[in-house]
Amino acid sequence: MIIENELILSKRDNHPQDTVVRIGNTAIGDGGFTVIAGPCTVDDRETLLLTAEKVKEAGARILRGGAFKPRTSPYAFSGLREKGIKFLASARALTGLPVVSEITDVSQLESFESIDVLQIGARNMQNYELLRALGKIKKPVLLKRGFANTVSELLYSAEYILAGGNPNVILCERGIRTFETETRFTLDLCAVPILKEMTHLPVIIDPSHAAGKSDFVAPFAAAAKAIGADGLIIEVHISPECAKCDGAQALTPEQFALLMKRLDGIPKFEK
Ligand code: PEP
Ligand code: MN
């Protein structure tokens, strides 16, 4: 029987216990607070390796880095592509940190062999062929909420991956578009308790893309833990002023280390 407009596999009613997504020797959704950190893009090998070592030292459990970047302007730096993926594999080997990177097309799947978590960016949240393709593999998927999408639309997108047979989905709130322009997007913190009630899937927050400005990243991150998120994905760069993408919202390794210490003192909200 075909049931239309029904959330089945993502719904908490049908799966009361929390889903724990295991990534290497770490996990998201196990009751802890897992921090993913690294540069927006892989700019070059050395910058990535240095940043990776720094974020590991500060307590990040997973490294992030974009190699295929969807950019608003076709003239903007759009990533090192396959070369960037190779550098991420080197950073993984050097630090032992698992790696997350954004995949923008099904044809890239083979090149992402060495990537532990496949990120679907906000702009691709409703790229249904990509969602279907990632449903056919078992690798964890970090699914970002589109900036003009409701939480229920986010769950329908997750449902595509689950329905294909891949249960390893992590949801990510990264800010939505509102009339407010002081931040790059408006961080919808309300999405965390709402999603926790609706679904068993883990939910993390990306304070960097919501803020657009590094000064706001720490308070947004603190609020994410206090409202019950399962973790964060944060942009960190060894020299934000030289970053090829999103430098204004990147924390320095020192700012990131300080934030990690402050987060230790904030209890995670538990229902
Ligand atoms: C990113 O993580 O660098 C990114 C492009 O995020 P988003 O898809 O949320 O804009
Ligand atoms: Mn970015």
Side-chain angles (χ1 to χ4, degrees):
M1 184 174 58
I2 295 170
I3 304 167
E4 283 184 15
N5 293 325
E6 186 62 87
L7 291 171
I8 300 165
L9 299 168
S10 57
K11 221 172 167 173
R12 191 178 282 281
D13 293 353
N14 300 333
H15 184 298
Q17 71 280 39
D18 288 337
T19 285
V20 179
V21 176
R22 303 202 179 276
I23 303 152
N25 58 7
T26 191
I28 302 184
D30 61 350
F33 191 72
T34 311
V35 178
I36 305 170
C40 176
T41 59
V42 177
D43 290 353
D44 58 74
R45 192 170 187 274
E46 209 197 333
T47 307
L48 178 70
L49 297 190
L50 282 170
T51 310
E53 283 183 315
K54 293 281 185 191
V55 298
K56 184 184 179 183
E57 217 176 278
R61 305 299 304 270
I62 302 170
L63 175 69
R64 65 150 288 149
F68 292 84
K69 298 297 299 180
R71 300 303 301 274
T72 303
S73 164
Y75 309 117
F77 174 68
S78 63
L80 296 179
R81 308 177 80 83
E82 280 81 5
K83 205 157 86 180
I85 298 290
K86 280 208 186 88
F87 295 162
L88 284 164
S90 307
R92 185 181 188 273
L94 176 74
T95 59
L97 291 178
V99 167
V100 51
S101 196
E102 178 167 355
I103 183 163
T104 55
D105 193 84
V106 180
S107 61
Q108 293 150 9
L109 257 177
E110 222 171 287
S111 330
F112 275 66
E113 191 69 40
S114 58
I115 302 299
D116 301 274
V117 181
L118 306 178
Q119 176 175 323
I120 297 191
R123 290 155 190 81
N124 270 317
M125 190 203 87
Q126 290 180 307
N127 181 337
Y128 297 116
E129 291 312 315
L130 187 56
L131 297 170
R132 279 188 206 280
L134 300 199
K136 291 197 193 113
I137 57 172
K138 285 283 180 282
K139 259 189 195 178
V141 177
L142 171 51
L143 178 64
K144 291 187 132 194
R145 177 182 177 184
F147 45 75
N149 287 111
T150 63
V151 292
S152 117
E153 286 164 344
L154 171 62
L155 285 186
Y156 277 109
S157 291
E159 190 79 21
Y160 269 84
I161 304 168
L162 301 177
N166 185 352
N168 300 305
V169 179
I170 305 145
L171 304 173
C172 178
E173 157 62 32
R174 45 77 73 212
I176 54 172
R177 198 154 263 176
T178 66
F179 51 78
E180 182 55 69
T181 55
E182 294 302 323
T183 49
R184 188 172 176 194
F185 294 93
T186 298
L187 184 60
D188 182 16
L189 283 168
C190 310
V192 176
I194 294 169
L195 282 166
K196 288 269 159 203
E197 194 171 276
M198 293 172 81
T199 182
H200 50 87
L201 297 172
V203 184
I204 67 166
I205 289 278
D206 173 349
S208 308
H209 290 86
K213 195 175 160 210
S214 59
D215 289 353
F216 297 140
V217 172
F220 288 11
K225 191 169 181 192
I227 206 163
D230 296 301
L232 297 167
I233 178 164
I234 297 195
E235 290 187 346
V236 178
H237 197 283
I238 50 163
S239 41
E241 64 290 350
C242 303
K244 289 195 175 146
C245 185
D246 287 351
Q249 66 197 33
L251 297 185
T252 62
E254 296 69 32
Q255 290 169 327
F256 176 65
L258 179 62
L259 170 61
M260 291 295 278
K261 283 213 181 78
R262 293 183 73 173
L263 286 171
D264 276 343
I266 298 170
K268 176 183 168 183
F269 180 81
E270 303 282 356
K271 202 177 165 196

